[in-house]
């Protein structure tokens, strides 16, 4: 059995007037959760279609679960689950439960095993209240829970998610994120996630691949992504008013930090600093020497801004 769940080497996919994927190389190890992110048209969906055997590469190597996705597509289908946010693998006019029964048969699961597994997923994703409802009548949040369950009914080694939370409300997104995190911890499922929602990446992934115009612009951790472009952290401090004054003087000369926001007559101030150049402790010590600190918080770099900087640097 192959050690790597995904392997690509100099992977290229060309169309008549466009190279959608341009010599991309990366690997994904068992149990990893990897975010594959980029702007629209960057090459994300094309890569996924080659990983799953839907598209033939123009050149280069691709292996998924140790298999050639094109030549071993049927065997590969038993080892992967795929969720496309805009496409369904459920039977539109049938009650949801019947879709699960059919999918169990397609994957050649023993009927008793399929019933136990679908029951487990129904409980974990809280779908008991709409199992008898035709899929076409489900809300978007209900249908996406059902799509996730459908992709996992055969316990795949790899789960590929293409925009799984698109259009969902905050509660539905959190429910899906919690479930996916638990599935990975308990069963060792490998996740490959493409999304425009940075909350998905921050909560689910420990590694990020950034693709820009078909080329891999970054491969590493989320924290490393921010460090690559020198993204700043922001310390938000709540300060006690100075004696005889209603507010607090602006902290414009704190070493290693820049004042980027002031609220409430200076009682709340925002100081940006580069964690590679100075520490949060040093900034706090300098602030404490100037005013009484009542409370503080550290805001991490905005990931969307970091990704924009990566794009700019790669171009």
């Amino acid at each position: 059995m192959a050690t790597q769940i995904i392997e690509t080497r100099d992977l290229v996919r060309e169309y008549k007037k466009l190279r959608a994927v341009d010599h991309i190389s990366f690997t994904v190890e068992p149990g990893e959760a990897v975010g594959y992110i980029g702007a629209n048209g960057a090459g994300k969906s094309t890569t996924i279609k080659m990983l799953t055997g839907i598209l033939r590469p123009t050149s280069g190597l691709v292996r998924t679960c140790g298999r050639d996705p094109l030549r071993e597509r049927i065997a590969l289908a038993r080892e992967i689950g795929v969720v496309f946010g805009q496409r369904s693998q459920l039977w539109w006019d049938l009650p949801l439960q019947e879709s699960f029964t059919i999918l169990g048969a397609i994957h050649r699961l023993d009927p008793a095993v399929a019933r136990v597994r679908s029951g487990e997923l129904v409980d974990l994703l809280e779908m008991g209240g709409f199992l008898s409802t035709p899929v076409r009548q489900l809300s978007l949040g209900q249908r996406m829970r059902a799509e996730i369950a459908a992709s996992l009914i055969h316990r795949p080694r790899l789960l590929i998610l293409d925009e799984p939370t698109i259009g969902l409300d905050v509660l539905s997104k959190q429910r899906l994120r919690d479930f996916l995190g638990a599935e990975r911890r308990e069963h060792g499922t490998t996740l490959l996630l493409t999304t425009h929602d940075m909350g998905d990446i921050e909560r689910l992934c420990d590694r990020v691949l950034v693709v820009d115009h078909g080329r891999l612009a970054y491969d590493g951790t989320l924290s490393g992504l921010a460090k690559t472009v020198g993204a700043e952290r922001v310390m938000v401090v709540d300060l006690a008013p100075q004696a005889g004054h209603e507010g607090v003087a602006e902290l414009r000369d704190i070493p290693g930090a820049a004042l980027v926001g002031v609220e409430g007559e200076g009682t709340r101030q925002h100081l940006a600093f580069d964690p590679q150049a100075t520490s949060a402790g040093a900034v706090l010590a300098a602030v404490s020497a100037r005013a009484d600190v009542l409370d503080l918080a550290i805001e991490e770099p905005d990931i969307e801004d970091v990704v924009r900087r990566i794009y700019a640097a790669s171009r």
Side-chain angles (χ1 to χ4, degrees):
M1 184 177 293
T3 301
Q4 294 160 339
I5 293 292
I6 294 173
E7 179 186 7
T8 72
R9 194 182 314 139
D10 287 329
L11 190 61
V12 174
R13 172 64 192 194
E14 293 180 334
Y15 297 95
K16 288 184 178 180
K17 297 182 179 180
L18 173 69
R19 179 172 287 182
V21 173
D22 191 0
H23 293 93
I24 280 180
S25 299
F26 67 88
T27 60
V28 175
E29 303 297 327
E32 277 196 286
V34 179
Y36 192 52
I37 61 177
N40 287 329
K44 305 185 303 296
S45 293
T46 300
T47 305
I48 286 177
K49 288 174 182 176
M50 289 189 286
L51 291 174
T52 54
I54 296 172
L55 283 179
R56 180 186 299 275
T58 302
S59 64
L61 177 141
V62 57
R63 290 286 183 272
T64 306
C65 296
R67 300 185 183 277
D68 182 321
L70 277 173
R71 295 182 180 179
E72 302 177 84
R73 189 172 175 183
I74 293 176
L76 179 61
R78 300 192 183 105
E79 299 193 63
I80 66 172
V82 183
V83 177
F84 289 102
Q86 300 298 323
R87 298 174 180 84
S88 180
Q89 59 194 306
L90 305 170
W91 278 260
W92 202 242
D93 294 312
L94 295 181
L96 178 58
Q97 181 62 69
E98 293 190 31
S99 284
F100 291 156
T101 301
I102 293 170
L103 287 165
I106 288 174
H107 288 293
R108 299 181 182 178
L109 300 180
D110 180 274
V113 172
R115 282 194 298 273
V116 170
R117 177 58 170 162
S118 62
E120 176 185 79
L121 292 167
V122 166
D123 289 342
L124 290 171
L125 286 165
E126 302 176 23
M127 299 184 293
F130 51 87
L131 276 177
S132 60
T133 303
V135 171
R136 57 182 165 78
Q137 294 180 11
L138 300 179
S139 69
L140 181 57
Q142 290 171 336
R143 186 173 70 79
M144 287 310 303
R145 276 184 275 165
E147 296 283 359
I148 296 285
S151 70
L152 289 169
I153 199 164
H154 57 301
R155 293 193 186 277
R157 297 170 62 198
L158 169 65
L159 179 60
I160 298 175
L161 303 164
D162 190 12
E163 300 286 359
T165 64
I166 190 169
L168 299 187
D169 59 49
V170 173
L171 182 60
S172 296
K173 286 183 181 182
Q174 189 57 49
R175 182 184 286 117
L176 281 180
R177 290 166 180 165
D178 290 345
F179 168 77
L180 290 169
E183 183 72 15
R184 181 189 171 207
R185 288 191 301 272
E186 294 173 17
H187 300 291
T189 308
T190 304
L191 300 180
L192 180 66
L193 171 68
T194 78
T195 181
H196 284 88
D197 189 326
M198 291 299 108
D200 292 344
I201 300 295
E202 292 171 320
R203 290 166 178 78
L204 289 172
C205 300
D206 40 31
R207 178 179 164 210
V208 184
L209 303 173
V210 180
V211 62
D212 179 35
H213 285 71
R215 290 181 174 272
L216 198 60
Y218 176 81
D219 178 356
T221 63
L222 266 177
S223 58
L225 178 62
K227 292 175 183 177
T228 297
V229 293
E232 296 178 322
R233 303 173 79 190
V234 176
M235 179 181 290
V236 182
V237 288
D238 289 341
L239 307 172
Q242 296 169 331
H245 298 81
E246 293 185 359
V248 180
E250 294 184 357
L251 303 173
R252 292 194 173 276
D253 55 354
I254 299 298
L259 184 66
V260 294
V262 178
E263 303 174 47
E265 300 295 326
T267 54
R268 171 169 289 181
Q269 302 194 33
H270 302 247
L271 297 158
F273 64 98
D274 180 353
Q276 300 302 298
T278 190
S279 68
V283 175
L284 178 60
V287 171
S288 299
R290 296 272 303 276
D292 293 329
V293 178
L294 303 177
D295 198 3
L296 69 89
I298 302 292
E299 296 178 350
E300 298 298 331
D302 180 81
I303 298 300
E304 289 182 331
D305 178 60
V306 171
V307 171
R308 283 193 294 269
R309 295 189 191 193
I310 285 281
Y311 290 162
S314 68
R315 292 174 190 176

